[in-house]
């Protein structure tokens, strides 16, 4: 319930850029990746009719109700951040002060490393062996969404796993988005939301949110980042 409520909050903030009711679309695109052939516009439109975060109802007893038959929730864009937060809380409760919880693309750091902030590397979205940038962080959650994790090429076009809840097709505005936030759940969901919204709208959303910073690599490979990161970021190997 905590995850679903946070998801709804991010959906509202991003005006549907993030939407956990994409379950039917996720399944459609998973099958497409297996076959390496994109689904038809008709197939996508059919599933799109089931996608709308406003059709989720929750009650005080902790029950969740989906208004349309065939709807399905997919927590893939937020659950990992939640898991990182829970592990972080457990380690803190055990008395650890300086540590890192890393769940492949989603991480959260506590305290310092050798009395210095932790140095986090951001992967180059087009050269997997290279680091795009390094950031100094402490007591921060970091999450990255990119078009390079799961994708296939069909007739010269790249179809990746992050699609827009509005039209049901993979978005084309960004190569990767990294979000810095106080907690992993927010960072995880916002990374997907900003990726879907694209450079201008995504950056604008981050600027409005307190305690949230971002690094966005757009489709041309241009980098834009929050002013607050200026003194903590270094580019190159």
């Amino acid at each position: 319930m905590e995850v679903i409520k946070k998801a709804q909050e991010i959906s509202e903030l991003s005006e549907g850029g993030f939407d956990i009711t994409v379950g039917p679309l996720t399944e459609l695109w998973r099958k497409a990746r297996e076959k390496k052939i994109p689904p038809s516009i008709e197939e996508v439109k059919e599933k799109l009719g089931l996608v709308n975060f406003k059709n989720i109802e929750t009650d005080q007893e902790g029950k969740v109700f989906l208004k349309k038959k065939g709807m399905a929730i997919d927590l893939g864009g937020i659950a990992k951040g939640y898991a990182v937060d829970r592990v972080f809380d457990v380690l803190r409760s055990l008395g650890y002060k300086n540590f890192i919880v890393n769940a492949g693309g989603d991480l959260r750091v506590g305290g310092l490393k050798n009395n210095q902030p932790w140095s986090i590397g951001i992967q180059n979205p087009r050269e997997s062996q290279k680091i795009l940038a390094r950031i100094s962080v402490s007591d921060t959650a970091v999450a990255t969404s990119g078009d390079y994790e799961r994708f296939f090429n069909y007739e010269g076009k790249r179809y990746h796993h992050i699609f827009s809840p509005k039209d049901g097709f993979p978005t084309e505005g960004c190569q990767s988005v990294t979000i810095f936030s106080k907690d992993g759940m927010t960072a995880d969901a916002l990374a997907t939301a900003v990726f879907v919204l694209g450079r201008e709208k995504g950056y604008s959303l981050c600027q409005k949110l307190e305690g949230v910073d971002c690094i966005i690599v757009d489709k041309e490979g241009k980098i834009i980042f929050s002013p607050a990161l200026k003194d903590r970021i270094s580019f190159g190997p």
Side-chain angles (χ1 to χ4, degrees):
M1 183 57 77
E2 188 184 337
V3 177
I4 288 170
K5 284 189 169 170
K6 173 58 83 171
Q8 292 294 78
E9 183 189 313
I10 303 291
S11 295
E12 290 284 356
L13 283 171
S14 63
E15 295 175 358
F18 181 77
D19 192 325
I20 56 169
T21 64
V22 292
L25 277 173
T26 304
E27 185 61 19
L28 184 68
W29 280 101
R30 186 183 62 75
K31 288 175 180 170
R33 276 201 307 279
E34 285 170 4
K35 295 177 186 170
K36 294 187 167 37
I37 299 171
S40 67
I41 291 171
E42 288 72 26
E43 285 175 304
V44 171
K45 274 186 178 170
E46 184 191 331
K47 301 297 183 191
L48 211 51
L50 298 169
V51 178
N52 189 340
F53 69 93
K54 291 179 179 172
N55 286 334
I56 298 176
E57 282 186 357
T58 57
D59 67 19
Q60 291 175 333
E61 293 173 16
K63 288 179 184 168
V64 181
F65 178 71
L66 304 174
K67 288 183 183 177
K68 272 191 175 182
K69 187 177 169 59
M71 281 180 74
I73 282 175
D74 173 12
L75 298 174
I78 190 168
K80 204 194 284 184
Y82 172 78
V84 166
D85 286 337
R86 296 287 71 77
V87 176
F88 186 91
D89 291 344
V90 168
L91 290 171
R92 267 275 157 90
S93 72
L94 294 172
Y96 292 99
K97 290 188 178 70
N98 305 308
F99 60 93
I100 184 165
V101 180
N102 187 357
D106 286 53
L107 54 89
R108 189 168 167 184
V109 301
L112 304 166
K113 183 182 182 182
N114 301 328
N115 293 318
Q116 296 288 327
W118 292 83
S119 179
I120 304 296
I122 310 293
Q123 184 180 322
N124 186 312
R126 289 295 175 265
E127 295 180 76
S128 62
Q129 301 306 311
K130 289 190 178 176
I131 296 291
L132 179 81
R134 288 190 183 280
I135 318 282
S136 297
V137 294
S138 57
D139 295 315
T140 303
V142 187
T144 298
S145 283
D147 67 1
Y148 51 85
E149 290 165 339
R150 297 193 293 277
F151 68 92
F152 64 92
N153 291 307
Y154 180 77
E155 295 184 350
K157 189 173 178 179
R158 174 190 287 250
Y159 291 88
H160 59 80
H161 75 293
I162 308 170
F163 45 82
S164 168
K166 301 283 170 68
D167 67 15
F169 281 90
T171 56
E172 297 179 359
C174 300
Q175 292 180 13
S176 85
V177 169
T178 300
I179 298 289
F180 302 83
S181 174
K182 291 184 183 78
D183 66 277
M185 206 162 32
T186 299
D188 195 7
L190 276 178
T192 303
V194 170
F195 191 100
V196 169
L197 290 173
R199 193 178 81 170
E200 283 80 17
K201 280 188 176 177
Y203 184 75
S204 175
L205 173 61
C206 289
Q207 292 298 93
K208 288 178 197 164
L209 300 174
E210 193 182 337
V212 171
D213 294 308
C214 66
I215 301 173
I216 300 172
V217 183
D218 72 10
K219 61 182 177 184
E220 274 90 37
K222 289 178 186 159
I223 302 164
I224 181 172
F225 60 88
S226 302
L229 296 175
K230 187 168 176 254
D231 297 331
R232 297 191 281 129
I233 191 168
S234 62
F235 293 96

